[in-house]
Amino acid sequence: MKQADSPWLFTYRTEAWFSIMIILADMQKSQAVMDELASQCDVDLGRAARDSSWITLQPENPFMVLAGESSGGVFLAYGDGEVERRPVLYVTSGGQAGCIASNLTELIAMMLALPYWRDLLKFSDGGNLQEMRRTARFSEQDYVEEYVELPAARKRIFDTLPVPVIADPVKLLHDCVRATDCTVVAGDGWPYESLFHHVKSSDNPGWT
């Protein structure tokens, strides 16, 4: 893997199908990996066992909760087949949902490439790819200053799991959310909203 000039960005290679997949059981066996993902990416596999009876998918699909996050959101593998090969739906505690990866391996690769991926969705101007790229530049700088342990944590995960590289992780995230084919229905019958927010990077007073 070739590291770019930035201490955060790597050169990622896109693969439509990964010959080596990350296996959920292998992740669960490594407490170090679980701790790194929870602390650096807010993806906590330890929260997967929490109550999921409130989740109703539309259209109806079998699903498995992979992980949770500190704010109450969850990551679901939905559909049929091996859990590692199912698409991943991100469901927030604020009433948004969308597909963010086509499988578990892609999910981990995307998150390690873009630890600030939630910012890209928030400041996306309704799903504008170029706006997401602008947001990535600002968010990356924030992470350089605030999350000084991430490069080392990322390396430890790379050394443990067969994490592939993605050529354009921002576009991958954008395209996955844009192609979302499943969502969550709230208790009142209303479907959850898109993960794309109608906010721009210029709306953040700290980014100039």
Side-chain angles (χ1 to χ4, degrees), residues 20-199:
I20 300 178
M21 301 289 291
I22 293 175
I23 304 302
L24 181 60
D26 291 341
M27 295 174 62
Q28 295 168 331
K29 289 177 184 176
S30 175
Q31 189 61 50
V33 167
M34 290 177 61
D35 290 345
E36 299 286 18
L37 289 173
S39 64
Q40 302 298 325
C41 300
D42 196 13
V43 179
D44 190 346
L45 275 68
R47 294 174 181 263
R50 296 191 176 186
D51 177 46
S52 61
S53 61
W54 57 274
I55 300 173
T56 300
L57 299 187
Q58 184 184 68
E60 187 173 332
N61 274 287
F63 69 87
M64 175 180 174
V65 179
L66 299 173
E69 62 178 1
S70 58
S71 63
V74 294
F75 302 86
L76 314 174
Y78 67 96
D80 298 311
E82 298 175 5
V83 64
E84 290 86 0
R85 296 185 183 277
R86 300 182 195 177
V88 179
L89 191 74
Y90 171 53
V91 184
T92 76
S93 58
Q96 295 87 35
C99 180
I100 58 173
S102 63
N103 55 58
L104 177 63
T105 301
E106 190 173 273
L107 175 72
I108 300 304
M110 184 275 291
M111 288 183 171
L112 291 176
L114 303 172
Y116 41 77
W117 60 274
R118 293 173 180 85
D119 285 349
L120 305 193
L121 299 175
K122 180 178 180 180
F123 297 96
S124 68
D125 190 24
N128 183 301
L129 177 58
Q130 295 310 312
E131 188 61 37
M132 292 174 70
R133 294 194 192 282
R134 282 190 287 271
T135 296
R137 291 194 290 270
F138 290 115
S139 293
E140 182 184 338
Q141 184 58 43
D142 287 348
Y143 263 73
V144 168
E145 298 172 355
E146 187 173 353
Y147 293 88
V148 296
E149 291 297 320
L150 181 60
R154 178 190 274 147
K155 183 180 184 303
R156 287 190 290 269
I157 295 173
F158 283 151
D159 289 344
T160 305
L161 298 176
V163 182
V165 290
I166 302 171
D168 191 343
V170 177
K171 187 175 188 302
L172 183 147
L173 176 63
H174 168 273
D175 291 352
C176 281
V177 176
R178 180 69 70 189
T180 294
D181 61 355
C182 184
T183 191
V184 173
V185 179
D188 59 6
W190 286 94
Y192 275 32
E193 297 178 355
S194 169
L195 292 175
F196 290 135
H197 291 236
H198 293 275
V199 183

